[in-house]
Amino acid sequence: MKNIFTMMLFIVLCGSLSYAQGNKTITGTIKDNQNRPVVNASVLVKGTNLGTASDAGGNFEIQVPATASVLIFSAVGYDDQEVNIGDKKNLNVILAEKNLGIDEVVVVGYSTVDKKHLASSVAQMDMSQTKTRPIMKMEQAFSGTIPGVTMLQGNSLPGSSPGSIAIRGVSTLQNASPLVIVDGMEQSLSDIDPNQIKSLTVLKDAASTSMYGSRGANGVIIIETERGTTGQFKVDLNAWGSIDNPIDLPTFVNAADYMRLNNEARSLQGQTTLYTAEDIQKAESGETKSVNWLDEVMQSRAYAHNQSANISGGGGVGTFNLMLGHIQENGLNNIEGTQKFSARFNTNVNIADKFVLLADFYAHRLQVDRLMANDDGHGLYQIAWRMNPTQQVFFEGTDLPNHYMLHNNLNPVASINHGGIKNYMHDRSTINLRPKYYINPNLNIEGNISYMINKSANKSVRETFKFYDATGKPATIWANSVTADQGVSQSQITARALVNYTKDLRGNKDKLYLTAGSEMMNFTYTDYREINKASFFGKLNYSFDERYLLELTARSDGSSKFAPGQKWGFFPSAALAWNLHNESFMSSLRDSKTLTNFKIRASYGLIGNENVDPYLWQEVVNTWGWTMRVPNPLFSWEKQKQWNVGADLTLLDNRLNITADVYDKFSYDLIYSDFPVPPLTGSNTLTSAVNIGEVRNKGYEISANWSDNIGDLKYTIGGMFFDNSNKVEKAGYNKTDTLIFKNTNDKIWYNGIAIDNYYGYETDGYFQNEAEIDATTAKLPNTIPGDIRYRDQNGDGIINDDDRVELGDPFPHLNYSVNLNLKYKGWDFAALGQGVGRRTSRIGGQEGYPIYVDNASNALGAPRQEYADNRWTPENPNSRFPRVWTGASTNTFLSDVWLSDASYFRIKMLQLGYTFPKWGKAFQNVRVYVNAQDAFTFTKYEGLEPERNGGNGNYPRMATYSFGIRATIF
């Protein structure tokens, strides 16, 4: 940093000396494209801090050194423009208004392309809308905002990722998250503060993602952060505070009903009942307190607050933007929560006329506070679910303080108050240098050297606490404990060299974009792992007569993750597009502005996926000399072929925009890193990493937006609809192979099934009595009335694995969203609704079963009221759920009984704001707003949260209500 500022000072001094040696006067006017004067526009001599501003008539006058060659013109709401002075003494400059339509520039790969010249499938997020929302993690912004992109959020745990993002479905057994590139660096999406983002582009088809070759199969998200603007010094402030309200809490039965249900289960099973009529009467009268353990552990209201500031400015010598952020989330007790501090400093340094250095620095610290009994954030709530309402928090009638009652050595309230605290610390720092040298206005060479280091540590502390029994005698001790641990650190170095060439041809009728380069990446871990990658790539975009568009991409990648001879892959793609609106036969529609844009696109390409651990192809031998992993010298990339056909339309004087796409993604040579192989002598388990299987994803996407105004009322109405079909086409080495996965009995692959299928039993109601059981040959052992009757699919009189069939998949289908934005004078209103038209979810675990199934006692927990009201009894033979039970039960097998319709519609956001143009002398564009997120959900799902499969307890999903303020200081 010191060197950079020294260089800047040197340039300023040089500029001053040049100015002293001789100068000349330049005058002129600055107007917009409607011939209106641009007031207070900045005029700067490039490479110096010499400047002036235009007056009320758009006129300016500036004295410049005799050696000066370029003036930079800029103004709020307009694109910057550089003008060569030459021998001119008078300049008339027309600034173009910033346009978010078809003329905008889109960041794709390692370069930028005019959107009107794109032939591939890309989509951009509206960051002006995203920045106004109280978003904890950037992943939340993807629900219902970009067609083809899904994000299912299962919980609102502070400090964790809210959910996984899938672009055009899932086609891998590995991590299916998209590649995220921030200012040219591979980073995590969760790290990014929305207030620091200038643009976010999603690359969806092979023609756009193949520029990232082996890393593009899951889609690519490209983020450019905010940078300073020439001639403007300003401070953007943003702050909001929110409170959270759980929306997916279960309602468990009360103590009296629990006693009845427990007795009922034991009676059906021929066992002795536990509770007498007197016990039940005491519970009904309140003498035996009914404990809601979730109420006991959720001791406070969850809330969060965020503050951020962007301080930016610049002159002819360069620009800067310092972005500071702080966010704190507090959980449902006084211990759990997170706090994050971040700082990003982006600079553009203009050295002479031809050399620009982009020097960016970023650092953040994330602190996560957990309970020792809940160090994953969910454990406390899982324990609370396993208690039943007859179990008390404290012993009553004793003089001992904090006389906790332990149940199987569990008491979640004691865990909060005396179970200890665990703190996690995560640090990330990056340096990103991007020098660019302009050989001429059309040709430049660019470098990129970046370094990122991630460090983590944790510590925990618990003081000694003694538990006593009902008589006051010592029962057990939670001993004193102090621990500290250093996590595995990771460093990432990237070096990239680029050549960019852009040229208008044939009298500006054609345009050529050419990018070529190479890249080296190194990942080093403190546990001695190391990954190296090398790449060579090139991309050509050509626009012929503004009508016919061509994109060609080729990339060759090498990775140390794969076996010798299998390390390199080649990933080419091509795309064609036709700007139909520029044809002569469209002139009447174009001149009347009925049709201003009609583009038809088609693309095809090969991309890859190398998102696996290193060293998988190598042999692993344990300390006894047994082979645990068989080496595979043919282990290599996952590969994917994808075609895409789409269209973009802009109609009715730019008021209606429509985009539609259909695609086919064929993935093959999928990586299965834990493939079981026949054991050798000296081994009882043996695996290998193999390339096996094929998966196809087909889908369509359509989105539309209408923007107009009625007097002072401006409005935008939009929506999208998309779907994806996922099928396994080859499960093994042959089309007829079946693949049974290790460590799970509920997932199997064969031709025609979905990649994450539910594979279980079809059912035929419940056994109603002993006579019906005796008359049925195909049944499981120890079946009693009220148990599930499984279908004997093959008619062999036995219920076993051969009778399992495909029951569906958990993927969201028929995805849709609607949005509304209104602006009236200073007021603004926004609403976003997002839904899934078809999804099947499993309500297993305690969300479905009456007890927690731990494969041991199976005696923990209490039924949900939903289950109790709809269980089988002799009086309710046509029930939704089987009988109540304790202990082991065949009713827990995966079957259609435990699958439920999880389609839903959710009001993702409601927001009302008002903007004051000025507030005092310093503050401008002061906006105050209120916001509600996830406040209303409409669903028939029988579980708790339609975006999540059932479970045994999670940190709750929250609705968020917030108040915020934004302001700018010029």
Side-chain angles (χ1 to χ4, degrees), residues 70-90:
V70 177
L71 291 181
I72 303 172
F73 296 85
S74 61
V76 177
Y78 297 87
D79 291 324
D80 291 357
Q81 187 174 151
E82 295 188 10
V83 177
N84 291 317
I85 300 174
D87 297 328
K88 300 173 185 175
K89 294 184 178 180
N90 185 270

Side-chain angles (χ1 to χ4, degrees), residues 54 117 145 443 498 653:
S54 60
H117 295 153
T145 55
L443 177 64
L498 299 170
D653 197 13

Side-chain angles (χ1 to χ4, degrees), residues 1 62 100 109 155 171 186 336 338 375 390 425 472 475 493 496 570 588 620 625 654 656 705 812 818 838 931:
M1 285 299 298
I62 185 172
L100 296 180
N155 62 77
S171 55
E186 182 176 336
E336 295 181 305
T338 68
D375 61 356
T390 69
M425 193 77 73
I493 300 175
R496 185 183 305 120
F570 181 65
S588 60
V620 174
N654 297 320
L656 177 62
N705 283 279
V818 291
R838 188 180 78 247
N931 182 291

